[in-house]
Amino acid sequence: MIRFLLIDCPDEPGLVYRITEILYRHGLNVLRNGEFVEREDSHFFMRTEFEGDFEQEALLRDLRAALPASARIRLRDDRPRRIVVLATKEHHCLSELLVRHFFGQLQADILAVISNHNNLRELTERLNVPYHHISAEGISREAHEASVLQQIAHYEPEFVVLARYMRILSPEFVANFPERLINIHHSFLPAFIGASPYAQAYARGVKSIGATAHFVTDQLDQGPIIAQSVIPTDHTQNAHDMAQAGRDVEKLTLARALTLVFREQVAVHRNKTIVFE
Amino acid sequence: MIRFLLIDCPDEPGLVYRITEILYRHGLNVLRNGEFVEREDSHFFMRTEFEGDFEQEALLRDLRAALPASARIRLRDDRPRRIVVLATKEHHCLSELLVRHFFGQLQADILAVISNHNNLRELTERLNVPYHHISAEGISREAHEASVLQQIAHYEPEFVVLARYMRILSPEFVANFPERLINIHHSFLPAFIGASPYAQAYARGVKSIGATAHFVTDQLDQGPIIAQSVIPTDHTQNAHDMAQAGRDVEKLTLARALTLVFREQVAVHRNKTIVFE
Amino acid sequence: MIRFLLIDCPDEPGLVYRITEILYRHGLNVLRNGEFVEREDSHFFMRTEFEGDFEQEALLRDLRAALPASARIRLRDDRPRRIVVLATKEHHCLSELLVRHFFGQLQADILAVISNHNNLRELTERLNVPYHHISAEGISREAHEASVLQQIAHYEPEFVVLARYMRILSPEFVANFPERLINIHHSFLPAFIGASPYAQAYARGVKSIGATAHFVTDQLDQGPIIAQSVIPTDHTQNAHDMAQAGRDVEKLTLARALTLVFREQVAVHRNKTIVFE
Amino acid sequence: MIRFLLIDCPDEPGLVYRITEILYRHGLNVLRNGEFVEREDSHFFMRTEFEGDFEQEALLRDLRAALPASARIRLRDDRPRRIVVLATKEHHCLSELLVRHFFGQLQADILAVISNHNNLRELTERLNVPYHHISAEGISREAHEASVLQQIAHYEPEFVVLARYMRILSPEFVANFPERLINIHHSFLPAFIGASPYAQAYARGVKSIGATAHFVTDQLDQGPIIAQSVIPTDHTQNAHDMAQAGRDVEKLTLARALTLVFREQVAVHRNKTIVFE
């Protein structure tokens, strides 16, 4: 089994040496290693993939002893993550995740899909995933979010993925999932923040459209960016055509971001991400 | 000699038929033809490349007679355009244009370079182009712009190109060059409007940076977009690194936009462009 | 209903004029029009999208009368094409088509899936498409192809799509589907013709991998190319990693090629394609 | 001053630990570090950027003592490399290098340009670089190569760069510059090996064209690939148009490859490169 070790802490001399010495002492076989120092505030990041038998508690204890007290240490194996997916009516991002999941290629178990509409139920259930329709009609945002939260809580997921979930989430909702709530925004952020980015893109006459996968924070569309992609567009495409063309880049950008996060390739630092590719 | 014919007018039935009938009647050999109808406001665009001997006045008269009164008709040959380039201190966009010009590959004659600094003089003059240093130090923006305008006027250019010219131009200045003033902005507009887009991009932690060539209007960074490109960036690049990496995409995006404009492949319609590729 | 008109014939003066005059006379509303002349052998291509009521036989008769005798005229509406998909064991291209089909976004009806393996049956049938397992074990290639052909014939498809079908087809098989058999090859053709392109790419140490959608002819991997895409790779990816990374570009390249073909945007001329975008 | 340390050797446990321990002991400040193990033959690669005062001989001695005897150790500072550029008639790759050099942005000193034609002399000399015209007319390949070699030897360059040098070099010539001779090939290798790749690409009807920067070995166009890029093309471009469009991707791919090599980001292993980005 492959393990992923992700460490970040204030930089100081000898960190790589101390960490790799510990891995060596525990008899571990390093497959890949990467380090990065954010010079702006002198912060150290290191990601290691390794194999081998080891005692987890002893390893973590040794690492903690060797590192600054404020160090964050994440040690994970490569078993699938437990996730819940929220969607609305558009199928393409959800379909991409469901099909990968169906064939065991998502690095995650989709425990359930929750939607405020019902049109994605058929595909979801045909692909063996529970579907919960929680309508937002006629109830307050608070009440709706409470129902969604309750349903999510039932599954105890590690991550919640917004696969074109079109409702704005309250800061209270978001606060439940620090660095665990991932969204795909259908524009090249920070261009076209907010609603209807394709309509905005059409109105502005841009020559490319894009997609941005990011962690959700209480600032709408302002959280740390994990992955971005763009594709060309031109004058022949109206907002509807752009939305169609954008589907492919959205679904692949989301899938790529999830793979990065699930394999512990993404460290969040202030409002940015360090991505080890 | 190849001719470029660019027509736009309100759409109505039979326009292509009427126009191509006239070209046929004048014995012209159509090399390439493209039409597009903007459905939102029912506006027709057509671009034709053709060869052949013809009487220009007679052709234009026949076209005007066959088209709605508000039609815009542009008929140009493929001789180099007359341009003046404005720059500041960064050389990469200017260098790209000067080298292409030196080898006759720009589809334009660079009549002169005007800069508010003097460090680009050496390259410019070595490549046989007059260089005018008009410092902005110690004088008002109005006075500086008046001097620049006077110098430009001396050359009677068809187009003025801002090759990383870092001063904001007044609406009065811009008004002299409707659809004739082209800028390269060092971001993927409308992301990062205004000053220091790379610093903004770094602060936001984006995963791609870009460049946008556009016509300049009196709305800062809001004019019709001609061409856009992006390249990936990552957490290892600070604002300075991004600026370096962005140079290549800036210079190629500007060069490509100029080729499109100079070959009459770009029609401006309201605040957008129709680009015939 | 939108109609697609695709014409090609030897070039001669006045073709656009004559064709658009006929469309105008029949009262049709042209939405988009494109022409291209292949200069090498002076061949004319034109594609038109139009709306309006018309008598199909009369229109075709008028077009035939106005065009050279060797002209090819294709007139189609935008109803879904009838297709059969052949696959082997890899799911990603088939899944992409099945999901688009499930949500009515493929511009085609998938009448059936035929495979020489059985592992894709479950997904196919869950998404409401008949699945035929025709094993190639223990029988000759001729016998296997005869069974496949018979099964295809039952559905009378307009096109047959090879969605990562890993068996080499005989010229006799291919001859049944001129310009109607479309394959996705998992390399940037003509690099890595033949088997195991990712293993070849790894051995060569390339920095990008790609996918090519093409019409199949009796020359293996040599038919007219419809669409191509590449993605970066690097030294960290072995042949298996490349194959995984290549899935996304394969499935999107195939889907894009099918859309182009099904909307009559692709003319085949000798061993190349003219693609109207 | 920044130092680049590039190490490769057969893999064994504890290499990162041993190397970083030495760097730590010598009081060096690691700015960036990357390791990679080629699993196929269990070979280890490590690249480190560091700052600090140190005794070079002592550091190298300690590293050699800690590493397997077959280890290759390259330690370089970030001063410009000494290079000679060979060109023929096409200017775009040479111009790109000359302009970057003129403004101190190449990470190299261009000591001289050698060409078998004379049309690039003017630009080269205007940009302050010596130009040697060594005609190949009327003399044997051996004699021509001998003259070129002699001229190169005069400058004692670290690297020789082929900036669209159109003559095939003999294995004897190449043998003088192991891992020090870099070429830009105007296709996406291994597609279109040999002469006139754009003519080959046009004949094949590809939808993308590309460029490949590689080390030259005695196998024509078969050496280790450093960088590759592609751009889209279409049916409207003939071989001449493709050659024009390809210029931009060629010059940027070459410039990027040189930066990678000059900053010691490229390790050659058998016929591949390990590129630390």
Side-chain angles (χ1 to χ4, degrees):
Chain A
M1 185 179 291
I2 296 177
R3 310 284 170 151
F4 309 123
L5 176 65
L6 191 61
I7 292 171
D8 78 82
C9 61
D11 192 29
E12 58 179 53
L15 285 172
V16 178
Y17 151 58
R18 275 180 272 161
I19 296 168
T20 54
E21 191 272 336
I22 291 167
L23 297 176
Y24 177 63
R25 183 146 41 86
H26 282 255
L28 299 170
N29 183 23
V30 172
L31 303 176
R32 187 187 300 213
N33 208 36
E35 300 90 25
F36 173 69
V37 175
E38 170 64 64
R39 314 278 287 169
E40 202 180 36
D41 62 353
S42 196
H43 203 83
F44 171 85
F45 301 85
M46 176 167 171
R47 180 183 180 272
T48 306
E49 290 188 17
F50 63 84
E51 287 176 327
D53 293 327
F54 66 103
E55 232 191 300
Q56 179 155 329
E57 278 318 303
L59 178 66
L60 287 172
R61 193 173 50 235
D62 286 356
L63 287 170
R64 275 191 219 103
L67 295 172
S70 66
R72 297 202 305 178
I73 304 172
R74 290 215 303 254
L75 176 60
R76 300 294 297 268
D77 55 44
D78 63 355
R79 278 179 297 201
R81 298 290 172 259
R82 297 169 51 84
I83 70 172
V84 166
V85 180
L86 271 58
T88 293
K89 278 170 141 181
E90 292 256 28
H91 80 84
H92 53 284
C93 288
L94 177 62
S95 297
E96 184 74 17
L97 303 186
L98 287 172
V99 167
R100 289 178 189 234
H101 175 252
F102 188 82
F103 287 102
Q105 296 171 337
L106 183 60
Q107 190 89 4
D109 284 334
I110 303 180
L111 307 170
V113 171
I114 301 172
S115 173
N116 52 323
H117 287 268
N118 215 0
N119 68 308
L120 301 174
R121 176 186 295 278
E122 188 179 351
L123 182 77
T124 304
E125 292 184 346
R126 279 170 182 261
L127 297 182
N128 286 340
V129 172
Y131 188 90
H132 302 283
H133 175 210
I134 303 180
S135 173
E137 296 283 314
I139 57 173
S140 68
R141 187 169 79 161
E142 289 70 26
H144 184 254
E145 287 194 349
S147 295
V148 171
L149 264 181
Q150 190 177 11
Q151 192 59 262
I152 293 173
H154 172 69
Y155 290 102
E156 298 182 347
E158 296 170 88
F159 294 94
V160 174
V161 177
L162 307 179
R164 296 286 262 132
Y165 184 66
M166 303 308 287
R167 292 179 60 80
I168 295 175
L169 295 168
S170 69
E172 292 72 31
F173 184 100
V174 170
N176 290 281
F177 308 102
E179 296 185 23
R180 293 169 50 212
L181 183 59
I182 297 166
N183 183 45
I184 179 73
H185 185 84
H186 45 308
S187 89
F188 187 78
L189 289 176
F192 310 130
I193 286 173
S196 302
Y198 289 122
Q200 292 183 56
Y202 172 68
R204 181 63 188 90
V206 293
K207 300 302 183 190
S208 303
I209 52 176
T212 304
H214 62 100
F215 289 107
V216 181
T217 61
D218 56 6
Q219 301 294 314
L220 178 66
D221 298 339
Q222 302 279 350
I225 292 171
I226 305 165
Q228 291 190 297
S229 302
V230 301
I231 52 169
T233 185
D234 64 31
H235 62 271
T236 67
Q237 298 196 306
N238 59 28
H240 175 75
D241 299 331
M242 287 184 187
Q244 282 197 297
R247 284 175 191 153
D248 290 340
V249 71
E250 290 168 27
K251 73 186 188 187
L252 294 189
T253 303
L254 176 60
R256 189 166 142 261
L258 294 184
T259 302
L260 292 169
V261 171
F262 295 163
R263 293 177 67 87
E264 299 292 349
Q265 296 177 260
V266 181
V268 174
H269 183 55
R270 295 182 303 177
N271 202 45
K272 296 184 192 179
T273 59
I274 312 303
V275 178
F276 290 97
E277 307 240 20
Chain B
M1 185 178 292
I2 295 177
R3 310 284 170 150
F4 309 123
L5 176 65
L6 192 60
I7 292 172
D8 78 82
C9 62
D11 192 28
E12 57 181 53
L15 285 171
V16 179
Y17 151 58
R18 276 181 271 162
I19 295 167
T20 55
E21 191 273 337
I22 291 167
L23 297 175
Y24 178 63
R25 183 146 41 86
H26 281 255
L28 299 170
N29 183 22
V30 173
L31 303 175
R32 188 188 297 215
N33 208 37
E35 300 91 25
F36 173 70
V37 175
E38 170 64 66
R39 314 279 287 169
E40 202 180 35
D41 61 354
S42 196
H43 203 84
F44 170 86
F45 301 85
M46 176 168 171
R47 179 183 182 272
T48 305
E49 289 188 17
F50 63 85
E51 288 177 326
D53 293 327
F54 66 104
E55 232 192 300
Q56 180 154 330
E57 278 318 302
L59 178 66
L60 287 172
R61 193 174 50 235
D62 287 355
L63 286 170
R64 277 190 217 104
L67 294 172
S70 66
R72 297 203 303 178
I73 303 172
R74 291 214 303 254
L75 177 59
R76 300 292 299 268
D77 56 45
D78 63 355
R79 278 180 295 201
R81 299 289 172 258
R82 297 168 51 83
I83 70 172
V84 166
V85 180
L86 271 59
T88 293
K89 278 170 141 180
E90 292 256 28
H91 80 86
H92 54 283
C93 288
L94 177 62
S95 297
E96 183 74 18
L97 303 185
L98 287 171
V99 167
R100 288 178 189 234
H101 175 253
F102 187 82
F103 287 102
Q105 296 170 338
L106 184 60
Q107 189 90 5
D109 284 335
I110 304 180
L111 306 170
V113 171
I114 300 172
S115 174
N116 52 322
H117 287 268
N118 215 1
N119 68 308
L120 302 174
R121 176 187 294 279
E122 188 178 352
L123 181 78
T124 303
E125 292 184 347
R126 281 170 181 260
L127 297 182
N128 286 341
V129 172
Y131 188 90
H132 302 284
H133 174 209
I134 302 180
S135 174
E137 297 283 313
I139 57 173
S140 69
R141 186 168 80 162
E142 288 71 24
H144 185 254
E145 286 193 351
S147 295
V148 172
L149 263 181
Q150 191 177 12
Q151 193 58 264
I152 292 172
H154 173 70
Y155 290 102
E156 299 181 346
E158 296 170 89
F159 294 95
V160 175
V161 177
L162 307 179
R164 297 285 263 134
Y165 184 66
M166 303 310 286
R167 293 179 59 80
I168 294 175
L169 295 168
S170 69
E172 292 71 33
F173 184 100
V174 171
N176 289 282
F177 308 102
E179 296 185 21
R180 294 169 50 213
L181 183 57
I182 297 165
N183 183 46
I184 180 73
H185 185 84
H186 45 309
S187 88
F188 186 78
L189 289 175
F192 311 130
I193 286 174
S196 301
Y198 290 121
Q200 291 184 55
Y202 173 69
R204 181 62 187 92
V206 293
K207 299 302 183 190
S208 304
I209 52 177
T212 304
H214 63 100
F215 289 107
V216 181
T217 61
D218 55 6
Q219 302 294 314
L220 178 65
D221 299 339
Q222 302 279 351
I225 293 170
I226 306 165
Q228 291 190 297
S229 302
V230 300
I231 52 169
T233 185
D234 63 31
H235 61 270
T236 67
Q237 298 196 306
N238 59 28
H240 175 75
D241 299 331
M242 287 184 188
Q244 282 197 296
R247 284 174 191 153
D248 291 340
V249 71
E250 289 168 28
K251 73 185 188 188
L252 294 189
T253 303
L254 177 59
R256 189 165 142 261
L258 293 184
T259 301
L260 292 170
V261 170
F262 295 164
R263 294 178 66 87
E264 299 293 347
Q265 295 177 260
V266 182
V268 174
H269 182 55
R270 294 183 302 175
N271 202 44
K272 296 185 192 178
T273 59
I274 312 303
V275 179
F276 290 97
E277 306 240 20
Chain C
M1 186 179 291
I2 295 177
R3 311 283 171 152
F4 309 123
L5 176 65
L6 192 62
I7 292 172
D8 78 82
C9 61
D11 192 27
E12 58 180 51
L15 285 171
V16 178
Y17 151 58
R18 275 181 272 161
I19 295 167
T20 54
E21 191 273 337
I22 290 167
L23 297 176
Y24 178 63
R25 182 147 41 88
H26 281 256
L28 299 169
N29 183 21
V30 172
L31 302 176
R32 188 187 299 213
N33 207 39
E35 300 89 25
F36 174 70
V37 175
E38 170 64 68
R39 314 279 288 171
E40 203 179 35
D41 62 354
S42 197
H43 202 84
F44 171 85
F45 300 85
M46 176 168 171
R47 179 182 182 273
T48 305
E49 290 188 16
F50 63 86
E51 288 176 326
D53 293 327
F54 65 104
E55 232 191 302
Q56 179 156 329
E57 278 318 302
L59 178 67
L60 287 172
R61 193 174 51 233
D62 287 354
L63 286 170
R64 276 190 218 102
L67 294 172
S70 66
R72 297 203 305 176
I73 303 171
R74 289 212 306 252
L75 176 59
R76 299 292 298 269
D77 55 45
D78 63 355
R79 277 179 297 201
R81 300 290 172 257
R82 297 169 52 83
I83 70 172
V84 165
V85 180
L86 270 60
T88 293
K89 277 171 143 181
E90 292 256 27
H91 80 85
H92 53 284
C93 288
L94 177 62
S95 297
E96 183 74 17
L97 303 186
L98 287 171
V99 167
R100 288 179 189 234
H101 175 252
F102 187 82
F103 287 102
Q105 296 172 337
L106 184 61
Q107 188 90 4
D109 284 335
I110 304 180
L111 306 170
V113 171
I114 301 172
S115 173
N116 53 323
H117 286 269
N118 216 0
N119 67 307
L120 301 175
R121 176 186 295 280
E122 189 179 351
L123 181 77
T124 303
E125 292 185 347
R126 280 170 181 261
L127 297 182
N128 287 339
V129 173
Y131 187 90
H132 302 283
H133 174 211
I134 303 180
S135 174
E137 296 284 312
I139 57 172
S140 69
R141 185 169 80 162
E142 288 71 25
H144 184 254
E145 285 193 351
S147 294
V148 172
L149 264 181
Q150 192 176 10
Q151 193 58 263
I152 293 172
H154 173 69
Y155 290 102
E156 298 183 343
E158 295 170 89
F159 294 94
V160 174
V161 177
L162 306 179
R164 297 285 263 134
Y165 185 67
M166 303 309 287
R167 293 179 60 80
I168 294 175
L169 295 168
S170 70
E172 293 71 32
F173 184 100
V174 170
N176 290 282
F177 308 101
E179 297 184 22
R180 295 168 49 211
L181 183 58
I182 297 165
N183 184 44
I184 180 73
H185 185 83
H186 44 309
S187 89
F188 186 78
L189 290 175
F192 312 130
I193 285 173
S196 301
Y198 289 121
Q200 293 184 56
Y202 173 68
R204 181 63 188 91
V206 292
K207 299 302 184 192
S208 303
I209 52 176
T212 304
H214 63 100
F215 289 108
V216 181
T217 61
D218 55 6
Q219 302 294 313
L220 179 65
D221 299 338
Q222 301 278 350
I225 293 170
I226 305 164
Q228 292 191 297
S229 302
V230 301
I231 51 169
T233 184
D234 63 31
H235 61 271
T236 67
Q237 298 196 305
N238 59 28
H240 174 75
D241 299 332
M242 286 184 188
Q244 283 197 299
R247 284 175 192 153
D248 290 340
V249 71
E250 290 168 27
K251 72 185 187 188
L252 293 189
T253 303
L254 176 59
R256 188 165 143 259
L258 294 184
T259 301
L260 291 170
V261 171
F262 295 163
R263 294 177 67 87
E264 298 293 349
Q265 295 176 261
V266 182
V268 174
H269 182 56
R270 295 182 303 177
N271 202 45
K272 295 184 194 178
T273 59
I274 313 302
V275 179
F276 290 98
E277 306 239 24
Chain D
M1 187 179 290
I2 296 177
R3 311 283 170 151
F4 310 123
L5 176 66
L6 191 61
I7 292 172
D8 78 82
C9 62
D11 192 28
E12 57 181 51
L15 285 171
V16 179
Y17 151 58
R18 275 181 273 161
I19 296 167
T20 54
E21 190 273 336
I22 291 168
L23 297 176
Y24 178 64
R25 181 146 42 86
H26 281 255
L28 300 170
N29 183 22
V30 173
L31 302 176
R32 188 186 298 214
N33 207 38
E35 301 90 26
F36 173 72
V37 175
E38 171 64 67
R39 315 279 287 170
E40 201 178 37
D41 62 355
S42 196
H43 203 83
F44 171 86
F45 301 85
M46 176 167 170
R47 179 182 182 273
T48 306
E49 289 188 18
F50 63 85
E51 287 177 327
D53 292 328
F54 66 103
E55 233 193 299
Q56 179 155 330
E57 278 318 302
L59 178 66
L60 287 171
R61 192 173 53 235
D62 287 354
L63 287 169
R64 276 190 217 102
L67 295 172
S70 66
R72 298 202 304 178
I73 303 172
R74 291 213 304 253
L75 176 60
R76 299 292 298 269
D77 56 43
D78 63 354
R79 277 179 297 202
R81 300 290 171 258
R82 298 169 50 83
I83 70 172
V84 166
V85 180
L86 272 58
T88 293
K89 278 172 142 180
E90 292 255 28
H91 80 86
H92 54 284
C93 288
L94 177 61
S95 297
E96 182 74 16
L97 303 185
L98 288 172
V99 168
R100 287 178 190 235
H101 175 252
F102 187 83
F103 287 102
Q105 297 171 336
L106 184 61
Q107 188 92 2
D109 283 335
I110 303 179
L111 306 169
V113 171
I114 301 172
S115 173
N116 53 322
H117 287 270
N118 216 0
N119 67 308
L120 301 175
R121 177 186 295 278
E122 189 178 351
L123 182 77
T124 304
E125 291 184 347
R126 280 170 181 261
L127 297 182
N128 287 339
V129 173
Y131 187 91
H132 303 283
H133 174 210
I134 303 180
S135 174
E137 297 283 313
I139 58 173
S140 69
R141 186 168 80 160
E142 288 70 24
H144 184 254
E145 286 193 350
S147 296
V148 172
L149 264 181
Q150 193 177 9
Q151 193 58 262
I152 292 173
H154 173 70
Y155 289 102
E156 298 182 344
E158 296 170 88
F159 294 94
V160 175
V161 177
L162 307 179
R164 297 284 264 135
Y165 185 66
M166 304 310 287
R167 293 179 60 81
I168 294 175
L169 295 168
S170 70
E172 293 71 31
F173 184 100
V174 171
N176 290 282
F177 308 101
E179 297 185 20
R180 294 168 50 211
L181 184 57
I182 297 165
N183 183 45
I184 180 73
H185 185 83
H186 45 310
S187 88
F188 187 79
L189 289 174
F192 312 130
I193 285 174
S196 300
Y198 289 120
Q200 293 183 56
Y202 173 69
R204 181 62 187 91
V206 293
K207 300 301 183 191
S208 303
I209 53 176
T212 304
H214 62 100
F215 289 107
V216 181
T217 61
D218 56 6
Q219 302 294 313
L220 178 65
D221 299 339
Q222 301 279 350
I225 293 171
I226 305 164
Q228 292 190 297
S229 302
V230 300
I231 51 169
T233 185
D234 63 32
H235 61 270
T236 67
Q237 298 196 305
N238 60 27
H240 175 75
D241 299 332
M242 287 184 187
Q244 282 198 297
R247 284 174 191 152
D248 291 339
V249 72
E250 290 168 28
K251 72 185 187 187
L252 294 189
T253 303
L254 177 60
R256 190 166 143 258
L258 294 184
T259 301
L260 292 169
V261 171
F262 295 163
R263 294 177 66 88
E264 299 293 349
Q265 295 177 261
V266 181
V268 174
H269 182 56
R270 295 183 304 177
N271 202 44
K272 296 184 192 178
T273 58
I274 312 302
V275 179
F276 290 97
E277 307 239 24

